[in-house]
Amino acid sequence: MFTGIVEELGEIASIEPQGDSVALAIRGPLVTQDAVHGASIAVNGVCLTVVDVRDGVFTADVIKETLAKSSLGALEPGSKVNLERPVRLSDRLGGHLVQGHVDGVGAIISREPGERWDVVTVSLPAELGRYLVDKGSITIDGISLTVVEAGADRFSVALIPTTLALTTLGHKRPGDPVNLEVDVVAKYVERMLGDRA
């Protein structure tokens, strides 16, 4: 479980194809300080399992399913990625409950710069629209954000200077893919109400 508060802007050190999967090597000196084999680290919102850690770089295997259902397949060596370690039960929950399970891939539609912030509009797979509400929570590339305006096939978020400076969303351009995870509470509520019908 994560909070969507990015700890570090990491970098893809290498990508090694392994048949229908890849081994990602990711540079992240902060998140690797206490990482061990089997630990979880969210990479652009995707929960990955640490295989090895060495000199501030960790490796993780990414299988075909994850490559197909997330934007991780579009990464290249040198790509910047958002990194977060799992939350501890004693930690503050600064964002919202994030599982690291991508629900779909959207794309940046537009950016409207303000004086110190940007309003970004993102496309949304049609089946996810029912889970978004104005002022609700959404995770984009592992970043916990508040929805400004929710539509059937798109939504907007406002990015403060900290988010612009410390995450990949400060550099994403129209057309760039992003991982989306909707609020898990909305999915549970839907399931419970559906079982009553």
Side-chain angles (χ1 to χ4, degrees):
M1 192 68 74
F2 304 91
T3 68
I5 303 300
V6 173
E7 291 185 88
E8 181 173 21
L9 193 58
E11 181 181 353
I12 300 298
S14 68
I15 301 173
E16 181 183 329
Q18 298 181 327
D20 63 354
S21 66
V22 298
L24 286 181
I26 303 154
R27 188 170 292 104
L30 175 65
V31 299
T32 57
Q33 286 178 0
D34 58 355
V36 295
H37 175 80
S40 295
I41 296 178
V43 178
N44 278 359
V46 180
C47 180
L48 297 180
T49 301
V50 173
V51 173
D52 189 31
V53 182
R54 196 166 302 169
D55 300 323
V57 175
F58 71 96
T59 57
D61 294 321
V62 184
I63 62 172
K64 181 180 179 180
E65 173 79 1
T66 305
L67 293 170
K69 301 228 170 141
S70 75
S71 66
L72 294 188
L75 295 174
E76 301 173 348
S79 294
K80 299 295 184 189
V81 289
N82 298 318
L83 302 175
E84 181 190 357
R85 292 172 287 188
V87 66
R88 293 183 210 125
L89 290 178
S90 61
D91 289 345
R92 289 185 176 93
L93 186 60
H96 71 280
L97 295 176
V98 176
Q99 294 182 297
H101 303 160
V102 173
D103 293 307
V105 176
I108 304 295
I109 296 173
S110 65
R111 299 184 74 105
E112 297 175 36
E115 286 184 26
R116 297 187 62 228
W117 65 88
D118 284 2
V119 174
V120 175
T121 301
V122 180
S123 69
L124 180 70
E127 67 273 13
L128 298 181
R130 67 183 180 268
Y131 299 115
L132 267 64
V133 296
D134 295 357
K135 308 303 179 273
S137 296
I138 183 76
T139 305
I140 303 176
D141 274 354
I143 306 161
S144 174
L145 295 165
T146 301
V147 175
V148 172
E149 188 173 353
D153 64 350
R154 64 187 62 206
F155 66 95
S156 60
V157 292
L159 306 180
I160 63 173
T162 299
T163 304
L164 292 170
L166 300 179
T167 74
T168 58
L169 285 183
H171 311 285
K172 296 268 182 175
R173 299 288 166 241
D176 287 346
V178 290
N179 293 319
L180 303 174
E181 181 182 331
V182 298
D183 191 348
V184 68
V185 175
K187 292 191 284 187
Y188 281 124
V189 169
E190 177 186 59
R191 178 65 183 263
M192 288 187 294
L193 292 177
D195 288 346
R196 287 181 167 180

